[in-house]
Amino acid sequence: MPHQLPPEGDWRAWVIMGGRGAGKTRAGAEWVRSQVEGSRPLDPGKARRVALVGETYDQVREVMIFGDSGILACSPPDRRPNWKASERKLIWPNGAEAQAFTAQDPEGLRGPQFDAAWADELAKWKKAGDTWDMLQFALRLGETPQVCVTTTPRNEETLKALLASPSTVTTHAPTEANRANLAASFLEEVRTRYAGTRLGRQELDGVLLGDAEGALWQGKMLEAAHVDHVPDLDRIVVALDPAVSAGEGADACGIVVAGAVTQGAPQTWRAYVLEDATVQGMGPTGWAEAAIAAMERHGAERLVAEVNQGGQLVAEVLRQVDPMVSLKTVHAAKGKVARAEPVAALYEQKRVRHVRGLNDLEDQMGQMTARGFQGRGSPDRVDALVWALHELMIEPAKGFRQPRVRTL
């Protein structure tokens, strides 16, 4: 498949990121074969010495070498290498060798030298940084030594640094790309269980989900906030962070729907984020219509709109679409972080829940830190979320008075 084929061009590292069962191991095994094999069984190939690096020796042996998609299973009889267990080496008929190493022992890579390497599941390595560094020093043979990295993505610093390197190329595929070779019951089960979760996006879609350092919302916090059922809500609002420009390169217009159960004292209130209806590239009429439509879908009682940008225009456009809309305009007197921090505290107190599938919103939340937004562009979705939860949970609590109990 396309994601299993080596990219063209001058690259040092090829990273194959994919979901579980996407065919990463087969791609790595076939790449090793393409490096060591010549035109005929005894002809030399491009590479003569290859490093095979996995989390443990057992995983190198059982997955990369002897696995169903490993090197031996992919090799035709006249080109199949022999496994020399005492030296942890594969030896091909043409004399090429591949040696097994464990990421648990980075020093094991000190001394040997190679012209190619295959690193499997790098994002799982406990000593990823040290092992990767030692491997780079060992890749010093031949004209253009290269490494193939096959991994399910995780928020791991070594992997992120590798992906950011200008000498790295990346291919990507979800689990679904290899459905022809997977049990239908497996796909049905994991999609039913994990669809719409951050774990599903990572393990099935092969998407690298990163939390910025010091993120106000951590991935584990958001994963724990997911619910499959929303109770009857006392209030529902739609929050709007309007975009003042339109077109392909314009900022998005954040539109978030949230509701809350507000019976009892404020510390017992619970909020539920119901939909991220954010739109991109629309002019004022377009995002106004989208916001009003979101209100109608959820039976929202109020539309909360920030007017820092656009001023009176925002209210005028909304009332052109719906003259009777229940509208509250808000002006941001504080910075984005100052507004977001009390909302993040509600999540820490487990007082906010999310329906599944709010992937873009949650990705943006993971880039919001105490130092500001670390992602690209403006955090439009997060701004809308913050306004919605301020309206539902924070502002009403300020005026709440606990009933006094008279004693006789």
Side-chain angles (χ1 to χ4, degrees):
M1 291 181 283
H3 72 277
Q4 295 176 301
L5 299 176
E8 298 180 357
D10 183 18
W11 49 266
R12 168 81 171 183
W14 170 29
V15 179
I16 308 171
M17 286 204 304
R20 299 285 187 94
K24 302 185 296 296
T25 302
R26 177 65 182 269
E30 294 288 4
W31 181 79
V32 170
R33 286 190 56 214
S34 74
Q35 298 299 296
V36 301
E37 294 179 5
S39 300
R40 293 172 296 183
L42 299 181
D43 289 347
K46 177 182 176 182
R48 297 284 293 175
R49 293 185 183 179
V50 181
L52 303 177
V53 189
E55 185 177 16
T56 65
Y57 280 124
D58 285 346
Q59 291 185 7
V60 175
R61 185 181 186 279
E62 300 303 323
V63 176
M64 302 171 72
I65 297 173
F66 286 92
D68 291 341
S69 300
I71 293 171
L72 293 180
C74 295
S75 300
D78 61 343
R79 297 167 184 265
R80 183 172 294 130
N82 292 318
W83 172 244
K84 195 171 184 179
S86 60
E87 299 181 20
R88 295 191 173 117
K89 283 185 179 180
L90 280 175
I91 302 176
W92 274 264
N94 65 3
E97 298 180 353
Q99 187 173 352
F101 295 89
T102 170
Q104 296 179 347
D105 179 24
E107 292 299 308
L109 286 161
R110 187 185 293 275
Q113 53 185 356
F114 308 97
D115 45 17
W118 174 18
D120 188 49
E121 294 297 352
L122 180 147
K124 289 175 54 183
W125 296 357
K126 291 181 173 60
K127 299 179 180 179
D130 292 340
T131 304
W132 183 254
D133 288 343
M134 290 299 100
L135 180 59
Q136 299 315 296
F137 288 122
L139 278 171
R140 57 180 184 261
L141 293 180
E143 294 182 3
T144 56
Q146 294 177 315
V147 56
C148 174
V149 178
T150 51
T151 188
T152 302
R154 286 187 179 181
N155 186 23
E156 199 281 325
E157 292 302 321
T158 303
L159 176 60
K160 292 194 292 185
L162 173 60
L163 294 175
S165 172
S167 62
T168 298
V169 294
T170 305
T171 57
H172 169 270
T175 300
E176 295 278 354
N178 198 31
R179 61 164 45 248
N181 298 307
L182 301 172
S185 58
F186 161 76
L187 287 172
E188 181 179 357
E189 176 65 22
V190 295
R191 279 299 179 194
T192 298
R193 184 167 183 177
Y194 299 109
T197 69
R198 287 176 64 87
L199 183 63
R201 296 192 72 205
Q202 173 181 284
E203 301 293 327
L204 299 179
D205 296 333
V207 176
L208 179 61
L209 302 175
D211 293 328
E213 183 179 353
L216 298 180
W217 290 277
Q218 298 289 332
K220 291 182 179 180
M221 179 194 301
L222 295 174
E223 192 70 39
H226 289 165
V227 294
D228 296 312
H229 172 71
V230 175
D232 292 336
L233 302 172
D234 298 312
R235 297 187 65 204
I236 298 176
V237 301
V238 173
L240 170 70
D241 179 48
V244 295
S245 58
E248 186 175 342
D251 288 335
C253 174
I255 303 174
V256 169
V257 186
V261 177
T262 56
Q263 301 296 319
Q267 59 266 31
T268 67
W269 297 355
R270 296 292 181 269
Y272 295 82
V273 183
L274 306 175
E275 183 184 354
D276 175 10
T278 297
V279 293
Q280 177 83 43
M282 290 187 175
T285 301
W287 50 251
E289 291 175 344
I292 299 297
M295 291 187 70
E296 294 174 350
R297 282 195 300 274
H298 294 274
E301 67 180 55
R302 176 171 290 179
L303 176 59
V304 182
E306 181 182 313
V307 295
N308 280 51
Q309 298 188 72
Q312 187 61 30
L313 171 66
V314 174
E316 291 176 357
V317 172
L318 289 166
R319 295 202 185 281
Q320 287 174 6
V321 175
D322 183 356
M324 302 301 294
V325 63
S326 175
L327 176 63
K328 177 180 179 179
T329 58
V330 289
H331 190 279
K334 299 179 180 179
K336 294 180 186 294
V337 173
R339 296 198 308 273
E341 284 179 333
V343 173
L346 295 175
Y347 283 80
E348 293 176 355
Q349 297 162 11
K350 298 181 173 57
R351 295 174 59 195
V352 184
R353 296 288 184 260
H354 283 199
V355 300
R356 299 184 188 275
L358 303 176
N359 300 326
D360 292 336
L361 170 61
E362 291 176 357
D363 287 350
Q364 203 173 80
M365 294 170 72
Q367 299 299 307
M368 194 70 187
T369 77
R371 300 187 306 276
F373 184 58
Q374 302 300 306
R376 295 181 179 178
S378 176
D380 313 279
R381 301 170 195 270
V382 173
D383 284 344
L385 170 78
V386 167
W387 285 123
L389 295 180
H390 264 275
E391 174 67 19
L392 290 169
M393 301 285 282
I394 295 175
E395 290 300 324
K398 292 179 180 178
F400 184 85
R401 294 289 184 271
Q402 188 74 29
R404 293 183 178 180
V405 178
R406 297 181 63 186
T407 56
L408 300 177

